[in-house]
Amino acid sequence: MLQCIFLISDSGEVMLEKQLTGHRVDRSICAWFWDQSISQGDSFKLLPVIASPTHYLFQIVRDGITLLACSQVEMPPLMAIEFLCRVADVLSEYLGGLNEDLVKDNFIIVYELLDEMIDNGFPLTTEPSILREMIAPPNLVSKMLSVVTGNASNVSDTLPSGAGSCVPWRPTDPKYSSNEVYVDLVEEMDAIVNRDGELVKCEIYGEVQMNSQLSGFPDLTLSFANPSILEDMRFHPCVRFRPWESHQVLSFVPPDGEFKLMSYRVKKLKNTPVYVKPQITSDAGTCRISVLVGIRSDPGKTIESITLSFQLPHCVSSADLSSNHGTVTILSNKTCTWTIGRIPKDKTPCLSGTLTLETGLERLHVFPTFKLGFKIMGIALSGLRIEKLDLQTIPPRLYKGFRAQTRAGEFDVRL
């Protein structure tokens, strides 16, 4: 049972406090948490569960905002973490993002959402489509009406249509003139390449995202051609677990609109579509840098939006970098970004230049980590393929669509 939720900015300010039970949690727990975060550094922020002297703390960080939940009793930690993730997702969808200004400008809606999402410390309603029926998303008209009428509440006077149903994530009997269902495979590649160019880690984190606009009460089954490659699956509550456990088939009654059906991982991939070959030499207070970027294995689709970024070491006083393709920008915080776009066929993109070290330093002792970004439309690099999507009762004018895309996640090339 959760007792309190705090939203903390990246400066340590408590932007929002929501007490969930009759037992009040003192805000001093936030001061203890922030002191520990400062003293222990980034490693402390990576801990999802923390045991303080008085409470168990659960945290996630989204876009610089820390969502912190407290409990004085033992509870399943994954339930607390999953609920905080749901809160972050709902707030991002409602507010169009998640940052300090958006939370402060819409704190009434944030409180109203938390009131509906958790009851006496236990998660209650977390489905976005149902929450939208209960609490209207903020817009300019609603803000003007609240100023004129003095009524700042966005909560509906009636319960959502699916509240009394056996499938509370779906409204009762929605109707569409054209029935459509779309399935997207969205994957991120996480990889680590060491200084010898060897692939230390390469895995895919993927999501099956759907947009369902179907009339009535549809019952769907989705099957994959090669489900055995999937690991660490997480399912939407609408998925029946027994058909997946016995036949690796997703059977479900979908929510109305957009939702994430499942997430998964595919581990131990053998190669990456793009290679990065950096070289840095230093002598007499000057460093020479050269970075090559090219296609390692052709995925069959165009690789787009290729970028390479790295943080210049603090001991670098100035940098003179240029490339034979794309643009290079260096920000005031010493972040260098090389925007390549697509790999040309007639040449290999190369970034080169010199770095000048601070006075008194002869050689560079701290080397940067290069972070690669890219996007490939129309293919899932994990190899996962959708075999078929069936409906038990086929409505009139049914249209089904499938798409796939892969982008870089945490893709690090280390020196």
Side-chain angles (χ1 to χ4, degrees):
M1 180 179 68
L2 296 176
Q3 294 175 302
C4 187
I5 291 179
F6 298 99
L7 268 66
I8 305 174
S9 69
D10 55 2
S11 62
E13 176 190 358
V14 179
M15 299 184 297
L16 185 141
E17 171 188 339
K18 176 64 176 174
Q19 300 289 337
L20 306 175
T21 64
H23 180 79
R24 181 177 178 82
V25 178
D26 193 85
R27 188 176 284 199
S28 61
I29 191 66
C30 294
W32 179 90
F33 168 81
W34 197 250
D35 290 341
Q36 295 294 315
S37 179
I38 292 175
S39 62
Q40 299 187 30
D42 293 338
S43 61
F44 187 78
K45 294 183 178 181
L46 297 176
L47 298 175
V49 182
I50 303 163
S52 76
T54 56
H55 294 79
Y56 295 104
L57 306 181
F58 310 92
Q59 67 159 335
I60 66 168
V61 181
R62 292 282 183 89
D63 299 325
I65 303 296
T66 300
L67 283 79
L68 185 70
C70 306
S71 176
Q72 280 189 319
V73 297
E74 290 191 7
M75 61 174 294
L78 287 179
M79 185 185 78
I81 297 299
E82 177 65 19
F83 177 73
L84 291 179
C85 290
R86 292 288 184 94
V87 170
D89 292 340
V90 169
L91 292 182
S92 296
E93 184 174 330
Y94 260 77
L95 308 181
L98 188 59
N99 58 50
E100 186 174 348
D101 293 333
L102 287 173
V103 172
K104 289 182 177 179
D105 291 343
N106 300 276
F107 71 93
I108 293 178
I109 285 186
V110 176
Y111 273 112
E112 290 172 343
L113 286 170
L114 291 175
D115 278 335
E116 301 298 340
M117 293 183 71
I118 192 166
D119 181 37
N120 198 35
F122 294 96
L124 183 62
T125 303
T126 59
E127 186 59 44
S129 59
I130 300 300
L131 287 170
R132 279 194 294 269
E133 289 190 50
M134 302 169 69
I135 302 172
N139 54 53
L140 183 60
V141 175
S142 63
K143 290 182 179 180
M144 292 179 62
L145 286 175
S146 66
V147 172
V148 174
T149 63
N151 181 17
S153 175
N154 295 277
V155 180
S156 172
D157 295 330
T158 59
L159 284 173
S161 56
S165 169
C166 60
V167 284
W169 55 81
R170 183 174 180 83
T172 303
D173 198 25
K175 297 185 182 297
Y176 293 97
S177 57
S178 177
N179 292 277
E180 302 173 348
V181 57
Y182 302 98
V183 183
D184 289 339
L185 290 181
V186 181
E187 297 188 341
E188 288 187 353
M189 174 174 281
D190 299 332
I192 297 176
V193 180
N194 66 13
R195 64 181 182 180
D196 298 322
E198 298 174 348
L199 193 61
V200 177
K201 166 193 169 184
C202 186
E203 64 181 35
I204 292 286
Y205 169 79
E207 295 181 353
V208 180
Q209 300 177 358
M210 295 191 67
N211 187 357
S212 169
Q213 298 178 359
L214 300 173
S215 303
F217 197 78
D219 201 325
L220 281 67
T221 56
L222 177 68
S223 58
F224 301 102
N226 49 347
S228 60
I229 66 174
L230 302 180
E231 299 181 52
D232 301 340
M233 290 81 69
R234 292 172 57 201
F235 301 104
H236 189 279
C238 70
V239 176
R240 303 179 181 99
F241 187 63
R242 184 169 294 177
W244 175 263
E245 193 175 35
S246 56
H247 304 294
Q248 282 72 55
V249 173
L250 295 175
S251 175
F252 58 98
V253 175
D256 193 46
E258 298 180 359
F259 67 99
K260 182 173 70 174
L261 181 65
M262 68 174 291
S263 64
Y264 58 88
R265 289 191 184 275
V266 178
K267 301 180 180 179
K268 298 180 180 179
L269 299 181
K270 300 300 183 182
N271 58 10
T272 62
V274 180
Y275 69 81
V276 179
K277 295 182 178 179
Q279 287 185 339
I280 296 181
T281 59
S282 61
D283 188 25
T286 301
C287 298
R288 287 166 293 279
I289 181 172
S290 174
V291 185
L292 296 176
V293 176
I295 297 177
R296 183 187 301 276
S297 58
D298 189 357
K301 298 290 184 178
T302 303
I303 305 176
E304 304 174 331
S305 305
I306 300 176
T307 61
L308 189 71
S309 62
F310 59 96
Q311 186 77 30
L312 295 176
H314 294 294
C315 58
V316 174
S317 59
S318 63
D320 181 15
L321 302 175
S322 61
S323 66
N324 63 352
H325 181 78
T327 58
V328 181
T329 57
I330 302 177
L331 302 179
S332 58
N333 61 356
K334 294 187 176 183
T335 299
C336 178
T337 302
W338 180 19
T339 304
I340 301 172
R342 297 183 180 181
I343 301 289
K345 296 181 179 180
D346 57 341
K347 59 183 177 181
T348 300
C350 177
L351 171 71
S352 59
T354 58
L355 308 177
T356 303
L357 303 182
E358 293 178 345
T359 305
L361 291 178
E362 292 291 325
R363 302 177 64 85
L364 185 66
H365 299 286
V366 178
F367 294 92
T369 296
F370 296 86
K371 295 186 176 295
L372 179 69
F374 61 82
K375 182 172 65 175
I376 309 174
M377 303 298 296
I379 190 171
L381 288 183
S382 66
L384 182 66
R385 301 190 307 276
I386 294 176
E387 188 173 59
K388 60 181 178 179
L389 174 66
D390 291 332
L391 281 78
Q392 286 191 359
T393 303
I394 300 179
R397 298 181 184 179
L398 174 64
Y399 179 77
K400 297 184 287 186
F402 304 91
R403 294 186 304 184
Q405 67 164 301
T406 303
R407 56 177 179 257
E410 294 294 327
F411 197 119
D412 294 347
V413 180
R414 299 176 177 175
L415 285 177

